[in-house]
Amino acid sequence: MGVLSDGTPYLNQRGLAVLCGVENAHIGTISSQWNDIDPKPRVKKIKGILEQAGYTAVQAHVEIFHAGRTHFCYPAEISLAVLEYYAFDAGPNIQEQARANYRLLAGSKLRDMIYSQVGYDPSGMDRFKKWHDRIALNSKAAPKGFFHVFNEAHTIIYELIISGADIGEKFVVDISIGSHWSTYWESSGLCTEFERKKDWHDYPDSHPQSKANPHESWCYPLASLGYFRQWLQDVYLEGGKFSGYLNTKVKKGELPPSVAQLAISTLVPPQIGGPKS
């Protein structure tokens, strides 16, 4: 069992088969026959159960690739419909194990059980924890008269988390922002107008980066804050650097494409070309 990146709880094929008291191949057959033009009675009945609950699905399962293997994930709603079928509607193939498990897991109980077993908080508050831990350590990281890129990146980080990104030790967007800003600082000549200074930045114990605490990091004078915010909007967000960073994460399998698209649509205004009428 597990939870997909969008918060959908699921059972894998073997887990659903065990729950229903049937062979793993029977669950696989449901998937393979899901979109038959003339579906078998079993598939038709399971789809009918789902329709009564106001739920439709193009496929019975979702495929995810992890650790070199393809996993077949059956969302909780579909798993429960399959369980109900084997508990009450399978005729001579009704399984007492399915009936007993359905009594225990009907309604939202299957969903709640999966969340509980994998330690997932459906309220979404847990997804902010690692970011909040960094804020607690670095809320006053910059010395008086200076700002740190981390503290200025909060809106971007917040929207990424809301969009579904797992912001943590492997997803540190302020490093991307800070690297591009540092390059711009030198190339634009701001370095001759203002003087930046090195300070320290710490990572919480939940991050492997904490083993090297404290990390040396640039801080910038508050007098240059307006330049930074203008650059962040015009160059980093609208200039394609943010989209490029997220697309790299997608290619590495560290970010679902749907999350990247949602974050980009939220933070990057659409570019409308052509003359105004």
Side-chain angles (χ1 to χ4, degrees):
M1 65 182 66
V3 179
L4 299 176
S5 60
D6 63 357
T8 299
Y10 70 84
L11 296 174
N12 66 16
Q13 194 173 96
R14 182 174 289 104
L16 179 54
V18 170
L19 195 70
C20 296
V22 299
E23 295 294 328
N24 189 33
H26 293 322
I27 305 301
T29 301
I30 292 173
S31 283
S32 65
Q33 297 175 348
W34 194 257
N35 288 311
D36 286 357
I37 296 176
D38 184 19
K40 297 294 189 293
R42 173 175 53 177
V43 173
K44 188 178 296 184
K45 183 61 180 180
I46 292 170
K47 284 188 171 182
I49 293 171
L50 289 169
E51 288 173 3
Q52 288 181 350
Y55 187 93
T56 58
V58 176
Q59 300 289 344
H61 67 266
V62 176
E63 293 185 16
I64 61 172
F65 189 75
H66 178 69
R69 293 179 56 195
T70 299
H71 298 261
F72 300 96
C73 307
Y74 293 78
E77 289 83 356
I78 292 178
S79 295
L80 193 61
V82 173
L83 180 62
E84 181 178 340
Y85 169 78
Y86 280 111
F88 304 108
D89 300 306
N93 295 315
I94 285 176
Q95 304 294 319
E96 285 302 320
Q97 183 173 329
R99 185 169 293 181
N101 285 330
Y102 184 81
R103 292 191 183 105
L104 292 173
L105 299 172
S108 63
K109 291 179 182 177
L110 176 60
R111 172 183 290 267
D112 294 342
M113 182 199 72
I114 295 172
Y115 284 151
S116 175
Q117 290 295 314
V118 302
Y120 179 83
D121 177 14
S123 71
M125 294 309 297
D126 277 357
R127 58 185 169 177
F128 288 92
K129 186 179 186 307
K130 290 182 179 179
W131 180 46
H132 285 166
D133 288 346
R134 285 188 69 198
I135 292 175
L137 285 175
N138 300 286
S139 60
K140 298 180 180 179
K144 184 177 181 180
F146 289 79
F147 70 92
H148 191 284
V149 168
F150 171 71
N151 302 105
E152 284 295 315
H154 287 338
T155 297
I156 293 176
I157 297 173
Y158 173 81
E159 291 295 348
L160 279 169
I161 294 173
I162 289 296
S163 297
D166 182 14
I167 297 297
E169 61 273 19
K170 294 182 180 180
F171 203 145
V172 190
V173 66
D174 48 290
I175 290 181
S176 168
I177 298 171
S179 176
H180 285 295
W181 168 243
S182 181
T183 299
Y184 179 80
W185 180 268
E186 295 288 342
S187 65
S188 67
L190 286 172
C191 58
T192 61
E193 185 176 351
F194 304 99
E195 184 177 354
R196 61 181 178 174
K197 65 188 297 185
K198 288 287 184 71
D199 203 73
W200 304 103
H201 186 85
D202 290 324
Y203 288 88
D205 292 340
S206 59
H207 290 59
Q209 297 95 321
S210 64
K211 296 177 181 178
N213 283 344
H215 294 257
E216 197 173 50
S217 180
W218 283 115
C219 290
Y220 297 86
L222 287 178
S224 66
L225 182 56
Y227 290 97
F228 171 79
R229 290 178 174 171
Q230 192 69 51
W231 168 88
L232 186 66
Q233 184 65 48
D234 294 346
V235 179
Y236 189 79
L237 290 176
E238 297 182 24
K241 298 186 184 303
F242 178 61
S243 300
Y245 172 74
L246 295 189
N247 288 333
T248 298
K249 290 291 184 181
V250 170
K251 291 178 181 177
K252 291 181 178 179
E254 298 175 359
L255 185 70
S258 58
V259 173
Q261 291 168 6
L262 180 57
I264 291 170
S265 66
T266 301
L267 289 163
V268 182
Q271 302 298 309
I272 302 176
K276 295 181 179 179
S277 57

